[in-house]
Amino acid sequence: MRIIPSVLVVEDEAAIAELIIVNMKHNGFRAIWAMDSQGAQREIDAAVPDLILLDWMLPGESGLALAKRWRADARTKSVPLIMLTARGDEADRVAGLDAGADDYIAKPFSTKELLARVRAVLRRRAPEPIGKAISIGGLSLDPETYRVTFNEQSLKLGPTEFKLLYYFMGHSERVHSRGQLLDQVWGDHVYIEERTVDVHVKRLRESIGRAGVMLETVRGAGYRFTANPHVAVSMSD
Ligand code: CA
């Protein structure tokens, strides 16, 4: 899961969609709204979200049909999916779960319940929670406050560089290939080339200044973040 999880909200009723989106944003999610199946498919084609909230009754193709289609597609088959619906009887609930939904929420629902279920589904799917701050060689990253410092001085990182650094620091001393980094940091990389990794690693090095020596290029293999770089990091000047 990404550090700021993205939620695709597929809901044709604007008032409900807005309520969900406002609450998701308040609780640290990035929320994207699609009004119908075509809009939803466009969003999915552009980027696979970390979670989908899917209304059952949509104009055109139903939420149930969409769920089945996404479950049959390799790109989306493991994306956590919660169905939203006014249809509360057991047969419907079973149909939703059979179509591959991870959970089911009957309308009307409270935003508290929605959040609790979203978090539960994400926990089940992604066992590692947002981690604690990590410090290596004077460089510190706090995923909760989104802050990065080097020798107590704040650094500015773009969102991708932040995710990349978080991954590197959480898995230091190991060599990661570009393909592994794409899997772990970008998650879904159907449209992303491996050299994209090089571009972001370069930007990351520039962003972290002298701490950049800890991020080593391992020729022919990939990258490694190490507390013991070949060039010593000077902590004093
Ligand atoms: Ca609806």
Side-chain angles (χ1 to χ4, degrees):
M1 194 171 67
R2 297 169 181 100
I3 290 163
I4 298 180
S6 60
V7 179
L8 175 62
V9 181
V10 190
E11 168 64 77
D12 58 313
E13 284 158 84
I16 297 177
E18 202 186 325
L19 181 73
I20 295 173
I21 285 169
V22 165
N23 273 281
M24 287 287 134
K25 286 184 175 168
H26 268 286
N27 287 279
F29 293 86
R30 201 161 60 81
I32 304 130
W33 180 28
M35 294 181 66
D36 54 25
S37 61
Q38 285 161 314
Q41 191 60 54
R42 265 198 306 277
E43 294 297 341
I44 296 262
D45 289 343
V48 173
D50 295 300
L51 179 99
I52 302 168
L53 292 173
L54 177 59
D55 184 29
W56 184 304
M57 299 293 279
L58 292 168
E61 197 176 5
S62 75
L64 193 67
L66 267 180
K68 282 184 183 159
R69 197 165 83 218
W70 288 336
R71 281 300 177 249
D73 182 339
R75 282 183 78 222
T76 45
K77 71 171 191 234
S78 59
V79 178
L81 194 155
I82 299 176
M83 300 274 313
L84 307 173
T85 180
R87 308 167 62 140
D89 65 53
E90 202 193 342
D92 287 336
R93 203 156 53 87
V94 170
L97 297 174
D98 275 351
D102 293 272
D103 203 353
Y104 176 100
I105 303 180
K107 290 179 187 173
F109 49 82
S110 72
T111 51
K112 253 189 178 167
E113 181 190 4
L114 176 71
L115 275 167
R117 290 191 186 236
V118 162
R119 289 190 171 125
V121 164
L122 287 176
R123 260 200 309 277
R124 284 209 297 273
R125 289 288 181 137
E128 69 271 63
I130 287 194
K132 293 197 181 101
I134 313 171
S135 273
I136 298 173
L139 188 66
S140 299
L141 178 149
D142 187 341
E144 266 187 86
T145 58
Y146 219 77
R147 289 195 60 193
V148 181
T149 58
F150 181 55
N151 293 344
E152 325 258 281
Q153 298 217 296
S154 267
L155 299 174
K156 266 199 143 135
L157 267 68
T160 303
E161 286 69 43
F162 183 91
K163 283 190 262 181
L164 197 52
L165 182 61
Y166 183 36
Y167 184 75
F168 275 128
M169 292 181 76
H171 304 83
S172 63
E173 309 305 330
R174 269 177 268 170
V175 179
H176 305 281
S177 70
R178 289 165 181 81
Q180 283 166 343
L181 290 168
L182 282 173
D183 277 341
Q184 297 297 326
V185 178
W186 278 261
D188 172 62
H189 58 270
V190 170
Y191 302 113
I192 302 174
E193 294 175 52
E194 292 201 344
R195 70 188 151 130
T196 304
V197 175
D198 302 329
V199 171
H200 286 280
V201 166
K202 184 167 176 277
R203 272 191 217 155
L204 173 58
R205 279 201 187 111
E206 287 163 4
S207 309
I208 60 178
R210 282 179 300 124
V213 294
M214 290 190 282
L215 180 45
E216 296 181 334
T217 302
V218 181
R219 205 169 287 274
Y223 295 101
R224 169 176 53 211
F225 191 91
T226 175
N228 304 297
H230 291 309
V231 186
V233 194
S234 165
M235 299 298 168
S236 51
D237 59 8

